[in-house]
Amino acid sequence: MNTTIRKIGNSEGVILPKEILDHLNLKAGDQFEIVETSKGIALRPVDDSFERQMEAARQVMDKYKVALQKLAE
């Protein structure tokens, strides 16, 4: 499938066809990592599960800060 780089405001971007988005279960707002390869570039969806886990851990540590400090002694 071919696409074209287009002017979007002060930036430039690529429009991904709906068929590709549907096939990969992606939607507007999903983030990608751009990886340079020997053949050009590759787009990979960002796996934010680690960041969500870290945020949950931070919330637990904030909530139980005193208890965790006591356990660390």
Side-chain angles (χ1 to χ4, degrees):
M1 210 174 269
N2 293 328
T3 190
T4 304
I5 297 174
R6 300 172 190 248
K7 184 84 171 148
I8 302 173
N10 291 330
S11 300
E12 296 172 356
V14 175
I15 305 297
L16 299 175
K18 183 177 181 351
E19 297 81 21
I20 297 289
L21 296 174
D22 290 345
H23 179 73
L24 297 173
N25 195 28
L26 298 170
K27 62 187 178 312
D30 289 348
Q31 293 186 347
F32 281 91
E33 175 183 16
I34 301 172
V35 180
E36 191 173 348
T37 70
S38 62
K39 295 182 179 183
I41 62 169
L43 299 176
R44 291 193 296 215
V46 172
D47 180 9
D48 66 346
S49 61
F50 177 75
E51 185 54 42
R52 283 184 285 138
Q53 291 171 357
M54 289 302 296
E55 181 56 32
R58 286 184 199 101
Q59 289 176 359
V60 168
M61 287 187 289
D62 286 345
K63 184 175 181 178
Y64 297 105
K65 184 177 184 176
V66 173
L68 290 171
Q69 286 173 338
K70 294 278 186 192
L71 288 171
E73 293 177 356

